[in-house]
């Protein structure tokens, strides 16, 4: 069965600093997608970044970037120049190709606190 | 684009009553919708997958007679919590995908249910 593991329940970072959140997953599939979602205190789920497994290039979105290591099944999120608004729970997720179930498999989440 | 709404945003009900939660895709047609439950400081737990015009697929351990899901149109899915009890109190979130080949799930803002 596919699993996603986030081993850091809580993290903190000073404003303007850089922080990396870890995520590992286990699957026998070759083609899939990986996501990082952000859930701020409002609890609205916000898509941060998406990575397609067949693309070797790491995805980036402004201050957010990933380090995708397919062989190691690792998908970490780097947040640069952290801002107070980045305070949230971050959820790593995996999904297989459409045509299968399309179900997202979530990790346990990492709660990030950005300190002023 | 890809906006999903939920109604109501929060509801308080008496034990034994039924509560209906609506999930709507506002600017796209959603062939597949998902319902999640989330406890405080925990990750999302998938309850069921809903496809337009067919019966929902429930995850193991989720009572289908208690959590009735209807996906009658391409823009609306409903979750009815029947004979609600205090242990059903939780945060319920829906998500939707645009269709075949679209693997990104877009999330609604969630519904907070409190059963007294």
């Amino acid at each position: 069965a596919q699993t996603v593991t986030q081993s850091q329940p809580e993290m903190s970072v000073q404003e303007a600093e850089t922080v990396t959140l870890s995520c590992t997953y286990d699957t026998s599939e070759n083609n899939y997608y990986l996501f990082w979602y952000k859930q701020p205190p409002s609890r609205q789920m916000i898509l941060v970044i998406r990575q397609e497994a067949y693309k070797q290039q790491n995805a980036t979105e402004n201050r957010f970037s990933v380090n995708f290591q397919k062989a190691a099944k690792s998908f970490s999120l780097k947040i640069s120049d952290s801002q107070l608004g980045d305070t949230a729970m971050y959820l790593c997720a995996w999904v297989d190709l459409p045509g299968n179930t399309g179900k997202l498999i979530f990790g346990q989440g990492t709660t990030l606190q950005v300190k002023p | 684009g890809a906006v999903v709404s939920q109604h109501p945003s929060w509801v308080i009900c008496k034990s034994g009553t039924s509560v209906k939660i609506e999930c709507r895709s506002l600017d796209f047609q959603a062939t597949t919708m998902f319902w999640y439950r989330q406890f405080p400081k925990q990750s999302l737990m998938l309850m069921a997958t809903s496809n337009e015009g067919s019966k929902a697929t429930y995850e193991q351990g989720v009572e289908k007679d208690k959590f009735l899901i209807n996906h009658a149109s391409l823009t609306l899915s409903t979750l009815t919590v029947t004979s609600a009890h205090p242990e059903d109190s939780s945060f319920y979130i829906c998500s939707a995908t645009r269709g075949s080949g679209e693997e990104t799930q877009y999330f609604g803002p969630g519904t907070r249910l409190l059963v007294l």
Side-chain angles (χ1 to χ4, degrees):
Chain A
Q2 290 83 2
T3 59
V4 177
T5 302
Q6 293 178 249
S7 59
Q8 305 152 312
E10 296 181 348
M11 295 186 72
S12 63
V13 63
Q14 292 295 133
E15 194 175 8
E17 297 294 308
T18 295
V19 64
T20 298
L21 282 58
S22 67
C23 173
T24 58
Y25 59 95
D26 187 21
T27 182
S28 58
E29 302 285 340
N30 191 47
N31 292 321
Y32 48 87
Y33 297 87
L34 293 160
F35 302 86
W36 278 100
Y37 281 93
K38 168 185 176 182
Q39 189 180 41
S42 67
R43 303 187 82 171
Q44 169 71 62
M45 292 283 286
I46 301 166
L47 177 64
V48 175
I49 204 162
R50 182 182 87 167
Q51 176 79 45
E52 294 159 80
Y54 63 87
K55 289 187 176 179
Q56 293 185 344
Q57 187 173 6
N58 289 324
T60 63
E61 278 292 338
N62 301 315
R63 297 182 295 108
F64 299 87
S65 61
V66 297
N67 183 2
F68 174 47
Q69 301 290 328
K70 191 174 182 179
K73 296 180 182 176
S74 172
F75 184 59
S76 61
L77 175 69
K78 185 172 81 171
I79 306 174
S80 304
D81 186 26
S82 297
Q83 301 176 359
L84 296 178
D86 295 334
T87 292
M89 175 183 278
Y90 288 82
L91 291 156
C92 179
W94 174 98
V95 67
D96 62 1
L97 275 179
N100 290 337
T101 65
K103 295 192 295 187
L104 277 174
I105 307 298
F106 282 100
Q108 302 91 328
T110 296
T111 298
L112 175 68
Q113 178 77 38
V114 180
K115 298 180 178 179
Chain B
V3 178
V4 177
S5 70
Q6 270 183 254
H7 178 80
S9 56
W10 65 282
V11 57
I12 301 174
C13 69
K14 292 182 179 179
S15 185
T17 61
S18 294
V19 174
K20 181 184 284 188
I21 302 169
E22 294 185 348
C23 177
R24 293 182 184 273
S25 56
L26 299 184
D27 53 0
F28 67 99
Q29 293 186 328
T31 56
T32 304
M33 288 183 168
F34 302 85
W35 286 95
Y36 297 86
R37 185 172 180 175
Q38 186 180 32
F39 293 104
K41 298 187 179 181
Q42 293 188 22
S43 187
L44 275 64
M45 181 184 75
L46 180 65
M47 299 175 66
T49 303
S50 165
N51 290 294
E52 186 266 338
S54 61
K55 291 184 178 180
T57 302
Y58 290 81
E59 294 299 300
Q60 191 172 9
V62 178
E63 299 176 59
K64 61 179 67 177
D65 293 332
K66 179 161 194 62
F67 299 101
L68 299 178
I69 292 172
N70 184 280
H71 193 161
S73 77
L74 284 171
T75 59
L76 173 65
S77 177
T78 59
L79 167 67
T80 301
V81 183
T82 62
S83 186
H85 290 285
E87 58 266 30
D88 299 323
S89 298
S90 193
F91 190 66
Y92 294 89
I93 309 176
C94 73
S95 71
T97 59
R98 283 191 240 243
S100 181
E102 170 60 71
E103 69 295 332
T104 300
Q105 291 187 22
Y106 301 95
F107 286 83
T111 296
R112 196 179 306 270
L113 170 64
L114 177 61
V115 184
L116 301 176

